[in-house]
């Protein structure tokens, strides 16, 4: 029996969560190093999986299959295609940076004297904070690997619990209304996150049961084979209803307008590292699942719903960008920018062209890296000043030039500047969409213009101009913070000029998806010479 590599990539952070939580209360620093060590071990396993993956090989590789709940046809089935293994690697890459960036986020407040027995240490235990992060990592990685629909559903719902506690129990302390108002807002954001996603999950559960009744199995590969052989007994009406059940849950998770409103609250009230965990890692499960489950299980229904989905994606692009322009809170601005970016991703998926879907997959990865860079630097900025309001800053580049410079690069990546990684993915999405839906593609470019506006205005108001007295003695980035930001910026530059390593892995998986929906790229129209 070959080594269960995919199981190991999820088991290591899960074990790390247990070990971290078991570290004695007084050993907070030890707990941090334990969590970081397990996250780095997970990254090593993810790199091995990436190296062992053969882009020209079988659709699903590194597969594992074991009986689980035999009476209900549920199996523990894992396998990754080019899209899944890329997102697995992204998750494993970002978690060490999340842990390093949040190194002091769960420390007891200074008023407690930093003692383990302080009055707040029971509610903000360092061990619990890092254990929850590792638990989220384990569930997200396993969701990218699951090829059994029921197994995926369990993971899809279970990951909500640790994220709920990370928002509500370990939220951002930089709140203008004081500690009491901040606690209320954190609780509201956590409950809203949970209720929205649970509602989507309950509707998906009904669709999962309906799928089993129609197909007689939860296995993604078996259902795909039955469809290819013409033995799948599923009416058009049933397929459409099941698609809607799955798509609604994924649209909430992504998020897509109009079920997006939980994200600005969650990102605003969470610490910056947890906000990265939400938007750069957890939310990717929604867009990934649209490719893996919606298009593969319900190809005809996906084509039927395409016009409506594209309109919703277009609204997300423009609406998210417009609201980002008007924000006064730094993290909420980045949250609305992410809603706009997720609109681009979903638009690329449902354009159903190879350029659009390749661009959408690259967008998931590049958005994860660029948002992590911008949001973590914003978190370092906020932790120094103790405020998320843009108006409380000014002239930061004169007192902390390295912080301002990294913030600028993260912002330029967010607006998809040529030469940085997001430009490639956004360009492919627009080209792929324009080739079949030119009006949608043209209107979507408004999002690009607005992105330049909200990013540059944010930088201008926080980093340039006269030095605000409250930031006059602000320290620049420290060694730990540079260790977080520098690799992310290097990746943005590398993938911006040489995305081939990613496209080589992703493109074969996109070809399989295009085959599932029986779509081909439109041929360019060339006028005959006179």
């Amino acid at each position: 029996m070959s080594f269960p590599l995919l199981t190991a990539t999820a088991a290591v952070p899960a074990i790390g969560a247990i070990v971290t939580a078991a570290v004695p209360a007084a050993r907070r620093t030890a707990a941090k190093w334990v969590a970081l060590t397990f996250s780095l071990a997970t990254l090593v396993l993810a790199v091995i999986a990436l190296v062992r993956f053969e882009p020209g090989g079988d659709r699903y590789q590194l597969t594992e299959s074991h009986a689980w709940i035999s009476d209900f046809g549920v199996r523990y089935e894992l396998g990754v295609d080019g899209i899944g293994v890329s997102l697995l690697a992204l998750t494993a890459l970002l978690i060490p940076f999340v842990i390093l960036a949040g190194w002091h986020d769960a420390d007891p407040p200074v008023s407690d004297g930093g003692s383990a027995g302080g009055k707040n240490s029971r509610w903000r235990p360092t061990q619990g904070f890092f254990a929850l992060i590792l638990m989220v990592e384990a569930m997200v990685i396993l969701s990218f690997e699951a090829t059994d629909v029921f197994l995926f559903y369990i993971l899809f719902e279970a990951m909500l619990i640790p994220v709920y506690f990370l928002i509500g129990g370990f939220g951002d302390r930089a709140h203008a209304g004081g500690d009491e108002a901040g606690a209320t807002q954190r609780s509201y954001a956590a409950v809203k996150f949970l209720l929205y996603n649970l509602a989507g999950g309950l509707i998906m559960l009904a669709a999962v049961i309906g799928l089993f009744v129609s197909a007689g199995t939860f296995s993604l590969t078996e259902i795909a084979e039955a469809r290819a052989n013409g033995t799948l007994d599923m009416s058009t009406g049933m397929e459409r209803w099941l698609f809607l059940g799955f798509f609604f849950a994924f649209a909430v998770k992504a998020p897509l307008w109009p079920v997006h409103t939980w994200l600005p609250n969650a990102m605003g009230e969470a610490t910056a590292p947890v906000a990265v965990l939400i938007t750069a890692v957890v939310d990717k499960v929604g867009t990934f699942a649209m490719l893996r489950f919606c298009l593969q299980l319900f190809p005809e229904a996906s084509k039927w719903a395409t016009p409506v989905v594209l309109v919703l994606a277009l609204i997300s692009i423009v609406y998210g960008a417009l609201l980002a322009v008007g924000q006064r809170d730094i993290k909420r601005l980045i949250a609305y920018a992410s809603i706009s970016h997720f609109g681009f991703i979903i638009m690329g998926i449902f354009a159903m062209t190879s350029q659009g879907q390749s661009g959408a997959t690259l967008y998931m990865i590049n958005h994860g890296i660029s948002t992590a860079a911008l949001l973590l630097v914003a978190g370092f900025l906020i932790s120094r000043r103790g405020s998320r309001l843009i108006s409380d800053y000014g002239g930061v580049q004169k007192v902390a030039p390295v912080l301002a410079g990294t913030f600028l690069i993260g912002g330029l990546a967010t607006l998809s500047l040529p030469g940085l990684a997001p430009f490639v993915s956004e360009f492919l999405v627009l080209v792929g969409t324009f080739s079949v839906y030119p009006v949608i593609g043209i209107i979507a470019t408004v999002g690009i213009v607005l992105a330049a506006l909200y990013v540059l205005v944010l930088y201008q108001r926080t980093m340039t101009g006269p030095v605000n007295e409250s930031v006059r003695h602000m320290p620049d980035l420290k060694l730990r913070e540079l260790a977080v930001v520098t690799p992310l910026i290097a990746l943005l530059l590398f993938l911006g000029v040489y995305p081939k390593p990613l496209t080589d892995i992703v493109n074969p998986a996109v070809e399989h998806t295009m085959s599932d929906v029986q779509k081909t790229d439109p041929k360019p129209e060339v006028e005959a010479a006179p």
Side-chain angles (χ1 to χ4, degrees), residues 291-352:
L291 278 166
R292 172 166 282 190
F293 296 102
C294 286
L295 270 60
Q296 188 171 346
L297 292 175
F298 318 112
E300 293 304 320
S302 297
K303 290 187 284 187
W304 163 74
T306 289
V308 174
V309 174
L310 287 177
V311 170
L312 294 178
L314 185 60
I315 294 173
S316 287
I317 291 170
V318 178
Y319 173 85
L322 280 172
L323 264 65
V325 171
Q327 290 304 304
R328 297 182 299 170
D329 183 305
I330 296 173
K331 288 201 294 182
R332 288 180 69 91
L333 184 152
I334 299 173
Y336 280 109
S338 289
I339 291 169
S340 182
H341 295 150
F342 277 109
F344 277 108
I345 294 170
I346 295 170
M347 185 176 74
I349 292 171
F350 281 87
M352 295 191 188

Side-chain angles (χ1 to χ4, degrees), residues 25 67 82 87 99 103 106 155 178 207 214-215 258 291 335 339 355 369 408 488 506 511 524:
L87 292 172
I99 291 173
W103 201 253
L155 297 165
S214 298
L291 278 166
I339 291 169
Q355 299 99 326
I369 299 170
L408 178 61
L488 295 174
V506 165
E511 291 175 6

Side-chain angles (χ1 to χ4, degrees), residues 234-449:
M234 185 183 296
S235 67
T236 300
M238 174 62 76
E239 181 179 341
R240 290 178 178 179
W241 279 112
L242 295 180
F243 166 85
L244 291 174
F246 276 75
F247 179 79
F248 180 79
F250 303 152
V252 173
K253 181 83 79 178
L256 177 69
W257 185 91
V259 287
H260 66 285
T261 59
W262 63 267
L263 183 64
N265 294 101
M267 286 183 63
E269 298 305 326
T271 63
V274 172
V276 169
L277 188 68
I278 293 170
T279 191
V281 176
V282 173
D283 287 355
K284 297 301 185 297
V285 176
T287 48
F288 163 79
M290 291 180 188
L291 278 166
R292 172 166 282 190
F293 296 102
C294 286
L295 270 60
Q296 188 171 346
L297 292 175
F298 318 112
E300 293 304 320
S302 297
K303 290 187 284 187
W304 163 74
T306 289
V308 174
V309 174
L310 287 177
V311 170
L312 294 178
L314 185 60
I315 294 173
S316 287
I317 291 170
V318 178
Y319 173 85
L322 280 172
L323 264 65
V325 171
Q327 290 304 304
R328 297 182 299 170
D329 183 305
I330 296 173
K331 288 201 294 182
R332 288 180 69 91
L333 184 152
I334 299 173
Y336 280 109
S338 289
I339 291 169
S340 182
H341 295 150
F342 277 109
F344 277 108
I345 294 170
I346 295 170
M347 185 176 74
I349 292 171
F350 281 87
M352 295 191 188
T353 60
S354 59
Q355 299 99 326
Q357 292 190 353
S358 293
T361 304
L362 291 179
Y363 214 130
M364 292 185 223
I365 299 165
N366 294 333
H367 171 265
I369 299 170
S370 62
T371 299
L374 178 61
L375 196 48
L376 291 178
V377 177
F380 298 149
L381 178 70
I382 291 167
S383 67
R384 284 160 164 74
R385 172 62 179 82
S387 173
R388 307 196 309 251
L389 296 178
I390 297 173
S391 58
D392 286 339
Y393 297 88
V396 173
Q397 67 180 11
K398 297 177 183 177
V399 296
V402 177
L403 188 154
T406 53
F407 189 80
L408 178 61
I409 295 173
L412 293 177
T414 297
L415 64 82
S416 300
L417 184 76
L420 296 174
F423 170 77
V424 179
S425 46
E426 193 162 276
F427 178 78
L428 285 173
V429 166
L430 288 171
V431 168
T433 303
F434 185 82
S435 63
V436 286
Y437 301 100
V439 175
I440 296 287
I442 291 171
I443 298 175
T445 57
V446 173
I448 301 176
V449 177

